[in-house]
Amino acid sequence: MNAIATLARQSRRQLLVLSTLAVAIAGAVATPAFAADKAASTKAARVSAPLSSAQPAGSYITTKDGVQLYYKDWGPKNGQPIVFSHGWPLNSDSWEAQMIFLADQGYRVIAHDRRGHGRSSQPWDGNDMDHYADDLATVIETLDLKNAVLVGFSTGGGEVARYIGRHGTSRVAKAVLVSAVPPIMVKSDKNPGGVPKEVFDGIRAAQLANRSQLYKDIPAGPFYGFNRPGAKVSQGLIDNWWFQGMQGGHKNTYDSIKAFSETDFTDDLKKFDKPTLVIHGDDDQIVPIDISGRASARLIKGSQLIVYAGAPHGLTDTHKDRLNADLLAFIRQ
């Protein structure tokens, strides 16, 4: 913790991030790290049956490199498609509040479990933003979605940005970034206001030391703002976050920390040419708004920024009614 204390004195912004993530890092011990291709084209993807009778009910799509992606497809099939990309280390279940609301409004809502997360396959390699974006393209192309609204939360916002950067917007009508990680989180000479890499190293160490405990500490603390004075704590949200996280692969979720923290999405954001809404809470202790939401809004030409005063990172649950209303209004514009 001495190293963390030293980093905390570097700047007020860094102090905020370090202090709120300290609970996740404090129990870390020295543990050997995992041993450290560009994604293949996804045009040959096909819809397949579940791998075995033990798989949960639902549908799977197989990518060209053999990864099974679990996905949900709710609402009327003739409705405008809205495609959701989830955050780390969660899965498509994290979008339930938005999906059921928008499906009831007549939209077709689709969300997949990212490779290595939830009910999807757990490949050893390919846990990076290029593969994530190409997997999203596989879902969109396999289901032949057109005029789609892409909505990405946190890491999923990076997935949406990289999808547009790699695959363009020919199938896209609009985009929404919610509490999203772009343009880039980690501190560097080019990004002096970012979060020190040592913070993410600490999260990795905590995951290797006791992943289950880490996945309880994060939602119980900074993710939903439950560490704030007077916060109304929901054990149900904490338990659901832990449950979703533990469904993901250990190696996959470990690798994803690098993907969401060190990937630079600046050039991807400059390629956005469709109406874009950026939503971020100004009390986000996981992805601070100044280096993310506000910075992304400046880079995306013509984008609209909505700041939720006092909202935490996990506003898809804590502020779900407002978010649902804002999404519906933006989609209907």
Side-chain angles (χ1 to χ4, degrees), residues 219-302:
F223 192 90
Y224 294 114
F226 291 159
N227 57 338
R228 294 306 197 200
K232 185 178 180 181
V233 177
S234 168
Q235 190 62 46
L237 285 180
I238 296 170
D239 292 346
N240 190 41
W241 202 100
W242 171 88
F243 177 70
Q244 289 184 44
M246 292 304 293
Q247 288 183 66
H250 193 7
K251 172 65 158 56
N252 309 97
T253 52
Y254 179 92
D255 286 354
S256 191
I257 297 169
K258 178 181 177 68
F260 75 67
S261 65
E262 297 184 30
T263 303
D264 188 345
F265 302 98
T266 301
D267 290 340
D268 301 305
L269 296 176
K270 292 178 180 179
K271 295 180 181 178
F272 279 46
D273 58 2
K274 300 291 185 178
T276 302
L277 174 63
V278 179
I279 296 176
H280 218 103
D282 66 4
D283 193 31
D284 190 326
Q285 302 170 68
I286 303 294
V287 183
I289 187 173
D290 288 337
I291 66 169
S292 52
R294 289 191 173 116
S296 290
R298 289 192 295 268
L299 287 167
I300 301 172
K301 185 177 180 180

Side-chain angles (χ1 to χ4, degrees), residues 30 42 53 75 78 93 128 209 215 220-221 227 240 247 296 306 311:
T42 59
S53 60
N78 61 348
D93 293 350
D128 55 69
Y215 288 3
N227 57 338
N240 190 41
Q247 288 183 66
S296 290
I306 300 179

Side-chain angles (χ1 to χ4, degrees), residues 298-322:
R298 289 192 295 268
L299 287 167
I300 301 172
K301 185 177 180 180
S303 64
Q304 176 187 357
L305 172 65
I306 300 179
V307 177
Y308 286 15
H313 187 63
L315 58 80
T316 53
D317 284 305
T318 62
H319 292 64
K320 62 183 180 181
D321 291 338
R322 180 180 178 184

Side-chain angles (χ1 to χ4, degrees), residues 7-188:
L7 287 167
R9 289 191 288 269
Q10 292 180 2
S11 72
R12 184 177 181 181
R13 183 184 292 108
Q14 294 171 7
L15 175 61
L16 172 64
V17 178
L18 290 165
S19 61
T20 55
L21 289 180
V23 65
I25 299 172
V29 296
T31 306
F34 289 112
D37 52 33
K38 186 177 180 181
S41 169
T42 59
K43 292 183 179 179
R46 62 182 175 82
V47 177
S48 70
L51 293 175
S52 73
S53 60
Q55 292 288 343
S59 300
Y60 285 80
I61 289 174
T62 306
T63 68
K64 190 174 181 180
D65 62 345
V67 174
Q68 294 273 333
L69 299 176
Y70 174 89
Y71 75 100
K72 300 179 181 183
D73 188 349
W74 296 356
K77 294 301 182 286
N78 61 348
Q80 182 181 7
I82 305 173
V83 183
F84 295 88
S85 293
H86 64 79
W88 173 91
L90 307 176
N91 60 50
S92 59
D93 293 350
S94 61
W95 283 115
E96 285 185 340
Q98 287 69 50
M99 291 180 70
I100 195 167
F101 171 78
L102 290 169
D104 279 343
Q105 300 296 320
Y107 294 94
R108 180 182 181 184
V109 294
I110 299 104
H112 71 287
D113 292 357
R114 185 173 298 118
R115 64 168 58 205
H117 295 65
R119 290 139 293 200
S120 293
S121 299
Q122 298 182 9
W124 187 255
D125 299 311
N127 304 298
D128 55 69
M129 281 294 169
D130 286 354
H131 281 83
Y132 295 165
D134 291 351
D135 289 349
L136 176 58
T138 298
V139 173
I140 292 171
E141 292 170 13
T142 302
L143 300 179
D144 194 23
L145 304 180
K146 300 173 182 177
N147 197 37
V149 179
L150 306 186
V151 186
F153 168 78
S154 195
T155 300
E159 181 176 285
V160 167
R162 183 52 52 91
Y163 168 86
I164 290 176
R166 287 172 69 83
H167 298 275
T169 57
S170 63
R171 292 177 176 268
V172 178
K174 298 179 179 181
V176 185
L177 303 179
V178 182
S179 305
V181 298
I184 183 171
M185 287 193 69
V186 73
K187 180 180 179 179
S188 67

